[in-house]
Amino acid sequence: MHCPFCRHPDSRVIDSRTSDDGLSIRRRRQCPECGGRFSTIETASLNVIKRSGVIEPFSREKVMSGVRKACQGRPVTDADLAVLAQKVEEAVRQTGSSQIDTNEIGLAILGPLRELDEVAFLRFASVYQAFDSLEDFESSIEQLRADRERRLHAVPGE
Ligand SMILES: [Zn+2]
């Protein structure tokens, strides 16, 4: 890493800190030539392959705007969406691949969105899982009901 002050081709790491979400590392560096100090932030690259074949960097903003449409009229705040986008990023990074397609992002959204708002989840799922009949909605709703029952009857500690 070049020193941004004197362009010396080397620098020394004097401190490394992992961000709270564990997705990036911030390093304090010092130039052995001029003594200048600077920081670098390191994140693993994560790219999204769009349906058109275009590759672009993963963006939490895009996840949020995609989900926001499904949340229209629902009690979901931007802060909720930000938390959801972070969960989605963590989930896709955990797969260990540096390139994912938009469909995988859609699938990673389903779980956290379902916890957030069931109606928004159904709207989103109907698009991403390409529901093409009322039966698709019915089976999805039945699944939600069954899980809700299970939660209601779950005994804490078991
Ligand atoms: Zn320097």
Side-chain angles (χ1 to χ4, degrees), residues 1-2 5 10-15 27-31 35-42:
M1 179 94 206
H2 281 270
F5 308 107
D10 198 16
S11 61
R12 198 163 58 87
V13 175
I14 52 179
D15 186 41
R27 298 189 203 280
R28 284 295 288 163
R29 294 171 180 271
Q30 185 165 32
C31 172
R37 291 183 175 205
F38 55 100
S39 295
T40 53
I41 292 179
E42 187 179 295

Side-chain angles (χ1 to χ4, degrees), residues 76-136:
V76 175
T77 64
D78 263 17
D80 292 332
L81 291 178
V83 171
L84 179 137
Q86 183 181 333
K87 284 184 185 165
V88 169
E89 179 171 357
E90 281 166 8
V92 293
R93 282 190 184 275
Q94 266 167 15
T95 64
S97 53
S98 61
Q99 281 201 348
I100 44 167
D101 59 41
T102 45
N103 197 45
E104 288 174 88
I105 294 182
L107 290 176
I109 286 171
L110 291 173
L113 183 55
R114 189 175 142 165
E115 284 167 30
L116 196 57
D117 189 275
E118 289 176 343
V119 172
F121 162 80
L122 277 176
R123 288 176 182 159
F124 190 86
S126 70
V127 176
Y128 264 85
Q129 296 181 325
F131 287 10
D132 58 7
S133 66
L134 278 179
E135 286 71 26
D136 286 338

Side-chain angles (χ1 to χ4, degrees), residues 3-8 10 30-36 38:
C3 168
F5 308 107
C6 72
R7 310 286 303 158
H8 185 73
D10 198 16
Q30 185 165 32
C31 172
E33 189 64 24
C34 72
F38 55 100

